[in-house]
């Protein structure tokens, strides 16, 4: 008597490529100054998930960094102090481009949802920097201010460490949404004043897996 095994399906751990659009509130601050103004961070990205556990991401994002820096947090060229000898504070408004590269670990995977933790490093391209300097000409002189703007002068490669975690929810087979709180920590100074700039916020993302298909294996009949 012979027996024939029926074909059975086995799920494989799938790899997938995706595109994404993201936006969310971003607040910048310097450790020795007050919290800056919350502005919108937005952009697009792409990524690749392998073995359903690890995801590599990159993209291009734009943001405005509005913050206040105390004199001890501002590190411009030495000649700067000739013109602003008694600096009191600097109010900054900078338009920046950010190019991140990150690696995420996905855990608690379920068909419709998962949680993840991520670490990455970013490059900052300073598109436009506007600084309002508050200073005195002498110790007991009145405070005056002067605004100065520069464009396309400072590029800081691999200058920001980003730590984040988040929740992803799948909508259908190819679309997902994500909420991702993050903290960005400086690895070097940025802008004209080489300020150690921090930021934090939450990024909301909608992504598409355009090539996702169900992957199954069938065992051959014996």
């Amino acid at each position: 008597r012979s027996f024939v095994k029926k074909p059975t399906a086995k799920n494989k751990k799938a790899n997938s490529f995706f595109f994404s659009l993201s936006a969310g509130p971003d607040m910048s601050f310097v450790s020795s100054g007050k919290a800056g103004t919350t502005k919108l961070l937005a952009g697009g990205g792409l990524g690749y998930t392998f073995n359903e556990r690890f995801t590599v991401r990159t993209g291009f994002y734009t943001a405005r960094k509005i913050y206040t820096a105390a004199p001890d947090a501002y590190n411009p060229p030495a000649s700067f102090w000739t013109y602003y000898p008694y600096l009191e504070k600097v109010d900054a408004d900078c338009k920046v481009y950010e190019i991140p590269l990150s690696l995420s670990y996905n855990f608690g995977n379920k068909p419709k949802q998962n949680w993840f933790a991520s670490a990455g490093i970013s490059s900052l391209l300073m598109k436009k920097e506007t600084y309002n300097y508050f200073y005195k000409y002498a110790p007991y002189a009145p405070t005056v201010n002067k605004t100065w703007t520069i464009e396309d002068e400072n590029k800081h490669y691999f200058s920001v460490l980003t730590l984040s975690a988040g929740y992803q929810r799948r909508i259908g087979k190819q679309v997902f949404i994500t909420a991702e709180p993050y903290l960005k920590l400086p690895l070097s100074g940025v802008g004209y004043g080489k300020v150690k700039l921090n930021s934090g916020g939450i990024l909301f993302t909608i992504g598409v897996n355009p090539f996702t298909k169900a992957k199954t294996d069938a065992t051959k009949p014996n």
Side-chain angles (χ1 to χ4, degrees):
R1 186 178 179 180
S2 62
F3 296 90
V4 177
K5 291 184 178 179
K6 294 182 179 181
T8 58
K10 296 188 303 181
N11 291 328
K12 282 187 175 181
K13 290 186 176 180
N15 301 332
S16 61
F17 178 81
F18 62 87
F19 299 99
S20 61
L21 292 174
S22 304
D26 177 84
M27 184 184 70
S28 301
F29 60 97
V30 181
S31 57
S32 59
K34 64 180 182 180
T37 303
T38 300
K39 304 299 291 185
L40 181 70
L41 182 149
L46 53 88
Y48 186 76
T49 299
F50 50 96
N51 293 332
E52 296 182 352
R53 285 295 182 185
F54 297 95
T55 300
V56 177
R57 293 181 289 169
T58 188
F60 186 87
Y61 301 87
T62 182
R64 282 178 66 193
K65 303 291 185 178
I66 300 178
Y67 62 90
T68 297
D72 60 351
Y74 207 67
N75 303 286
S79 59
F80 170 89
W81 302 107
T82 303
Y83 302 97
Y84 305 98
Y86 298 96
L87 184 68
E88 294 186 338
K89 69 172 183 175
V90 180
D91 286 344
D93 184 346
C94 301
K95 181 178 180 179
V96 305
Y97 295 147
E98 180 178 356
I99 303 172
L101 179 63
S102 67
L103 177 65
S104 301
Y105 178 75
N106 307 305
F107 53 93
N109 276 342
K110 293 183 179 180
K112 291 291 186 179
Q113 63 184 2
N114 73 277
W115 298 86
F116 64 91
S118 180
I121 193 167
S122 296
S123 298
L124 289 185
L125 311 180
M126 311 295 289
K127 181 63 179 175
K128 184 177 182 181
E129 304 169 56
T130 299
Y131 300 108
N132 193 7
Y133 299 114
F134 293 82
Y135 64 100
K136 296 178 179 180
Y137 288 109
Y140 301 104
T143 299
V144 295
N145 69 292
K146 182 178 180 180
T147 301
W148 184 50
T149 299
I150 58 176
E151 297 186 27
D152 298 317
E153 287 196 15
N154 293 298
K155 298 176 176 61
H156 308 287
Y157 299 105
F158 311 115
S159 59
V160 178
L161 172 67
T162 301
L163 303 174
S164 67
Y167 171 77
Q168 183 180 100
R169 179 78 179 181
R170 186 160 293 280
I171 304 173
K173 292 182 179 180
Q174 293 182 312
V175 179
F176 63 86
I177 56 174
T178 298
E180 182 179 5
Y182 64 83
L183 178 64
K184 297 179 183 290
L185 304 172
L187 299 177
S188 64
V190 300
Y192 176 76
K194 300 297 184 289
V195 172
K196 295 292 184 68
L197 186 63
N198 306 272
S199 62
I202 181 169
L203 199 62
F204 299 98
T205 299
I206 181 168
V208 178
N209 301 106
F211 312 116
T212 297
K213 294 180 181 180
K215 294 187 176 182
T216 60
D217 276 344
T219 59
K220 295 181 180 180
N222 292 328

